[in-house]
Amino acid sequence: QLQLVESGGGLVQPGGSLRLSCAAIGFTLDYYAIGWFRQAPGKEREGVSCISSSGGDTKHADSVKGRFTIFRDNAKNTVYLQMNSLKSEDTAIYYCAAALVCFRSPPEYDYWGQGTQVTVSS
């Protein structure tokens, strides 16, 4: 099976930073757009950031603009989400997903990772 694996989550204090990684197993990410989504307890999964297959276009939710950056390293078959100035409301399980383009909704993505927990707390 084709897989995506997230890593880099953990516990961080408010105002701190984390870098999440999304690595592909069994296929190359070169031809896929990669989106990051998050889901907090009791809430629906929401889109956070997305990067086009070329890396030339990026999108971010309003709640993370100016704080999060998405970028890719095709040589490492990995996409990253750099999260700065973290807030308690950023606490969630973060997932990466692959699709041909940056779709707006989760059902449009073909492949998903298992998620990595991000907890922002003092």
Side-chain angles (χ1 to χ4, degrees), residues 76-97:
K76 297 181 179 179
N77 209 26
T78 301
V79 172
Y80 303 92
L81 183 68
Q82 179 67 45
M83 306 185 296
N84 299 325
S85 301
L86 284 163
K87 307 173 181 179
S88 60
E89 51 262 45
D90 294 317
T91 296
I93 301 176
Y94 283 71
Y95 302 86
C96 66

Side-chain angles (χ1 to χ4, degrees), residues 5-17:
V5 180
E6 304 94 338
S7 62
L11 175 64
V12 64
Q13 295 180 337
S17 298

Side-chain angles (χ1 to χ4, degrees), residues 4 22 27-37 49-54 72 79 96-113:
L4 294 173
C22 175
F27 68 104
T28 178
L29 294 182
D30 292 16
Y31 308 111
Y32 291 88
I34 300 296
W36 283 95
F37 298 81
S49 301
C50 190
I51 186 168
S52 65
S53 59
S54 69
R72 64 195 305 152
V79 172
C96 66
L100 294 181
V101 298
C102 284
F103 295 111
R104 294 179 59 192
S105 60
E108 303 294 339
Y109 286 78
D110 298 310
Y111 307 107
W112 290 83

Side-chain angles (χ1 to χ4, degrees), residues 14 23-24 51 67 74 118:
I51 186 168
R67 299 189 297 120
N74 286 345
V118 172

